[in-house]
Amino acid sequence: GESVGLHLPTLSVQEGDNSIINCAYSNSASDYFIWYKQESGKGPQFIIDIRSNMDKRQGQRVTVLLNKTVKHLSLQIAATQPGDSAVYFCAEPTPNTGNQFYFGTGTSLTVIP
Amino acid sequence: NAGVTQTPKFQVLKTGQSMTLQCAQDMNHEYMSWYRQDPGMGLRLIHYSVGAGITDQGEVPNGYNVSRSTTEDFPLRLLSAAPSQTSVYFCASSYSWGSYEQYFGPGTRLTVT
């Protein structure tokens, strides 16, 4: 079946630096992707999404880049803060299933003060 | 709005016991779903509902039952708990079947001994 994976299981960055979290997907027909943030002991929280007709989408301090040629997503967090410490994972819809998604396993981001 | 609420937050069961995990949302969302989250794996869909009175199986439905008698509530029942059901369970909701932005509850950590 299709799968969504993340390149690195852990990432440590210094407070104030930029963070980049990567995600690979395998279904070239996927037309929508979501990034979630999950803090320890909490449920996943929607951060930002992007449709396949876009290469880049910006939110508040976050940018998602989509490279359809190599089936790769990245989440960039600007000026990383201690409150950004969490697990981040991407998700893509499973084909013809409405709201069902494949979820990546996540990258754990630690921000060093 | 309280969003998506789940009870209990923690639960320990013995093998063979039954219990119901509660989930409620106050956003008048049509779509609700249950996921389990295990270490090293992405969220996996157990059951979902596209509206009151309608439920369907997800990726890992065995050992779980659901019902949707009201728009607000979507309980998950374990009829005979097994150690393999030790996991963190998340309930999620979204406006409709085609609406991708899901709101997750805080989770229930279940241990089956």
Side-chain angles (χ1 to χ4, degrees):
Chain A
E2 304 293 343
S3 63
V4 176
L6 286 153
H7 289 310
L8 296 172
T10 61
L11 176 66
S12 295
V13 299
Q14 210 65 39
E15 182 178 358
D17 287 351
N18 296 335
S19 302
I20 300 176
I21 300 169
N22 297 304
C23 178
Y25 64 95
S26 55
N27 183 4
S28 57
S30 290
D31 61 356
Y32 182 79
F33 303 89
I34 302 177
W35 279 99
Y36 286 94
K37 173 186 181 182
Q38 187 175 17
E39 296 175 86
S40 180
K42 296 185 178 180
Q45 179 184 7
F46 175 98
I47 302 174
I48 192 169
D49 59 0
I50 188 168
R51 293 200 175 273
S52 60
N53 60 355
M54 304 170 71
D55 297 324
K56 179 180 179 179
R57 188 162 189 221
Q58 288 184 295
Q60 188 175 10
R61 281 199 308 116
V62 296
T63 300
V64 56
L65 299 178
L66 175 61
N67 185 331
K68 294 180 285 294
T69 301
V70 295
K71 292 184 285 188
H72 181 270
L73 279 164
S74 68
L75 177 71
Q76 301 179 2
I77 305 173
T80 313
Q81 303 169 358
D84 294 327
S85 292
V87 173
Y88 293 82
F89 54 89
C90 60
E92 65 174 316
T94 57
N96 304 316
T97 59
N99 286 27
Q100 294 184 42
F101 283 80
Y102 290 116
F103 290 88
T105 53
T107 291
S108 178
L109 175 66
T110 300
V111 180
I112 304 165
Chain B
N1 288 345
V4 180
T5 57
Q6 291 183 239
T7 56
K9 193 164 180 61
F10 301 96
Q11 182 70 49
V12 179
L13 290 178
K14 294 187 186 301
T15 297
Q17 287 185 317
S18 62
M19 80 159 296
T20 299
L21 307 186
Q22 301 292 344
C23 174
Q25 51 89 12
D26 61 358
M27 298 174 282
N28 201 32
H29 284 173
E30 290 185 351
Y31 185 89
M32 296 185 74
S33 55
W34 277 101
Y35 294 89
R36 60 178 290 171
Q37 187 175 46
D38 301 296
M41 304 186 74
L43 290 165
R44 291 184 293 167
L45 183 65
I46 303 171
H47 285 284
Y48 65 96
S49 169
V50 299
I54 307 169
T55 64
D56 207 344
Q57 297 180 349
E59 180 186 356
V60 288
N62 292 341
Y64 308 95
N65 283 347
V66 291
S67 60
R68 184 97 179 268
S69 57
T70 67
T71 298
E72 295 78 20
D73 301 297
F74 190 44
L76 177 73
R77 280 183 286 276
L78 285 72
L79 298 179
S80 179
S84 61
Q85 294 178 304
T86 293
S87 188
V88 181
Y89 292 86
F90 290 100
C91 179
S93 74
S94 63
Y95 180 72
S96 67
W97 184 78
S99 174
Y100 286 153
E101 186 171 348
Q102 297 192 67
Y103 297 81
F104 284 83
T108 294
R109 183 175 292 275
L110 175 68
T111 302
V112 183
T113 61

